[in-house]
Amino acid sequence: MERTISIRRLSLNIVGITSLCLGFLGIFLPLLPTTPFVLLASACFMRSSPRFHRWLHEHKTFGPILDNWHQHRAVTAKVKRRGAVYILLSFSFSIWFVPHFWLKIALVFMLVALLTWFIRLPVMEHLADKQENH
């Protein structure tokens, strides 16, 4: 039983680190989304490494994204705009290059479903960063 737990923790740590690396690359690469990878990393670390989980939530770049999601199940307007554009671009690229018509149709349905879900996410700005009381 102990061996199973350690293999599970190791697997979750590997997925978490990989997701965090992809999320970090997403800051610089336009077609790679940051937020979903950071959320996945947080979920993995929550189950496998309290130390990494705490570090991730205290990080100056990733922490606000995670706090916004965990507290409000929301994203910022900037994340929503960029995410919608990148979802459209990446799916369009895939639809253009996929050789089979049935795959193109499946991708269009996935695009519509994903965009519908993504656009309906609530928007919540970080009020702590704003000076609305001045």
Side-chain angles (χ1 to χ4, degrees), residues 23-94:
F24 179 75
L25 287 174
I27 293 171
F28 306 104
L29 299 175
L31 291 179
L32 196 61
T34 300
T35 303
F37 287 117
V38 173
L39 290 173
L40 178 59
S42 175
C44 290
F45 291 146
M46 181 175 58
R47 292 165 180 82
S48 65
S49 175
R51 186 178 62 160
F52 278 144
H53 187 255
R54 185 174 43 259
W55 173 83
L56 190 58
H57 280 261
E58 292 173 356
H59 192 273
K60 74 175 195 170
T61 302
F62 300 130
I65 294 170
L66 292 167
D67 290 341
N68 208 19
W69 180 256
H70 287 294
Q71 291 174 7
H72 308 288
R73 290 287 188 240
V75 295
T76 64
K78 180 180 177 183
V79 165
K80 189 179 261 194
R81 278 192 308 274
R82 286 182 65 196
V85 167
Y86 295 142
I87 289 169
L88 279 170
L89 287 174
S90 62
F91 268 87
S92 297
F93 179 81
S94 298

Side-chain angles (χ1 to χ4, degrees), residues 1-3 12 14-15 20 28 53 56 60 65 68-69 77 81 85 87 95 103 106-107 118 122 126 128-129 132-133:
M1 184 69 174
E2 188 175 319
R3 182 175 173 95
L12 286 169
I14 289 171
V15 171
L20 187 58
F28 306 104
H53 187 255
L56 190 58
K60 74 175 195 170
I65 294 170
N68 208 19
W69 180 256
R81 278 192 308 274
V85 167
I87 289 169
I95 291 167
L103 282 175
L107 284 170
F118 189 74
H126 300 291
D129 297 339
E132 68 274 358
N133 295 328

Side-chain angles (χ1 to χ4, degrees), residues 6 18-19 32-33 39 72 90 100 107 121 123:
S6 64
T18 303
S19 297
L32 196 61
L39 290 173
H72 308 288
S90 62
H100 303 291
L107 284 170
L121 284 177
V123 172

